[in-house]
């Protein structure tokens, strides 16, 4: 059973920065493609950033140039560095692992493409 535990969520002011971490069990970060998703109140969960096993990254348009996804295989941890935060970034942030393309149906930012999920960490950005 793969376990994913997010941390690093906090309340910050607009323009601030946060770094989220997702600590995974076993060798998950090295073996599987992973991603960050977020879900704001009364909205659907959407993809933020993804990283493939080979390190290729994908980003949602709304966070390009502000967020950076990375991973540290040695410590089995996925990161999301978030800079220049905006109130619209307020959400619960989830990490996910084990991307399955569904024979090309899903992009790396598609919620239905991931098998394993963490419990989430709250990020609140005030104006």
């Amino acid at each position: 059973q793969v376990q994913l535990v997010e941390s690093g969520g906090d309340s910050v002011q607009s323009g601030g920065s946060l770094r989220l971490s997702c600590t995974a069990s076993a060798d998950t970060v090295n073996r599987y493609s992973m991603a960050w998703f977020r879900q704001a109140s009364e909205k659907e969960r959407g993809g933020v950033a993804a990283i493939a096993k080979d390190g290729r990254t994908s980003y949602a348009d709304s966070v390009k140039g502000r967020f950076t996804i990375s991973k540290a295989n040695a410590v089995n941890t996925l990161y999301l560095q978030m800079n220049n935060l905006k109130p619209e970034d307020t959400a619960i942030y989830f990490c996910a692992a084990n991307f399955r393309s569904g024979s090309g149906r899903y992009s790396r930012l598609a919620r239905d493409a991931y098998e394993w999920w963490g419990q989430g960490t709250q990020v609140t950005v005030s104006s």
Side-chain angles (χ1 to χ4, degrees), residues 7-9 18-22 36 78-80 82 93 121 123:
S7 62
L18 284 174
R19 187 177 80 159
L20 305 183
S21 299
C22 172
W36 286 98
L78 178 73
Y79 301 102
L80 184 68
M82 305 187 295
Y93 284 71
T121 185
V123 172

Side-chain angles (χ1 to χ4, degrees), residues 1-3 24-31 73 76:
Q1 179 73 21
V2 169
Q3 291 188 326
S25 61
D27 197 27
T28 304
V29 172
N30 184 44
R31 294 179 61 187
N73 292 343
N76 223 15

